[in-house]
Amino acid sequence: MRKKLAAGNWKMNGSAALLDELANLATQQDADAPQVIICPPSPLLIPAVAATQTSAVQIGGQDCHSAQTGAHTGDVSAQMVKDTGASAVIVGHSERRADHAETNADIRAKVQAAWAANLLPILCIGESEAERIGPNTLAIIAAQLDASMPDGATGDTLVIAYEPIWAIGTGRVPTMDQIIETHDMIRAELTKRFGAEGDKFRILYGGSVKPNNAAEIFTAKNVDGALVGGASLKAADFQPIIDALQAS
Ligand code: PGA
């Protein structure tokens, strides 16, 4: 059984008030609940860890550099993220790939940096709208997965998030057939590369997950949870998504 996971990506949003909401969410978790990881911006990691200290909610970063230290103004290393008390880190989000020209090779190095710091990387992949319309959608996603994922990954040490770029922040979601087909393909690729271990990786869906569509998305057998942006910014939106995941 793969442990279900609801991850919240706050992106460049967040405030002390939002941390109060987070603390509120934290009090609603119980032992049988899905794993919940909230990823606030770097300056909020320490207060977020403090706000969730007595709960099962875990905190993650949104990115890390692949190097341990150095002349990289504005960046943070995986160990720095770990030192805040965080336990996970998103790597390869499409906004990072676009805004900071991150390549699959960069992202593979970030996964390895996350491992070296004992963080759980949540590795994002996903196609553009043109790639979704084109004939090679699944092959493009498979190639991205293959190139971003280092050898030695296991179900315990890496989570995959499939996020179609055109679905992020747009209110548009793929059809259930598209979600099922893509997640099944990712599972097949993982099994091809990692053998029986391939069945142990968690594959999250991300892109406009909301309280009103979460339950349907979670019916897909290879959807093990969600990476949630906008709807993770309010406990009133995020909690029903967590509840839908628990009920799935
Ligand atoms: P969204 O963002 O839920 O706001 O579409 C998802 C993400 O970018 O991780």
Side-chain angles (χ1 to χ4, degrees), residues 9 17 27 57 59 77 79 93 101 119 138 147 150 174 179 183 189 201 204 228 230:
N9 174 12
T27 60
V57 173
I59 299 300
S77 72
Q79 187 61 48
H93 191 281
L119 289 171
L138 294 182
I179 291 177
H183 280 248
E189 288 295 311
F201 289 90
L204 311 183
V228 183

Side-chain angles (χ1 to χ4, degrees), residues 40 49 58 74 81 90 92 94 110 145 189 229:
V49 167
Q58 294 170 294
V81 174
I90 298 169
S94 59
K110 287 176 184 223
L145 176 69
E189 288 295 311

Side-chain angles (χ1 to χ4, degrees), residues 83-96:
D83 286 346
T84 66
S87 53
V89 64
I90 298 169
V91 293
H93 191 281
S94 59
E95 288 152 15
R96 297 283 319 171

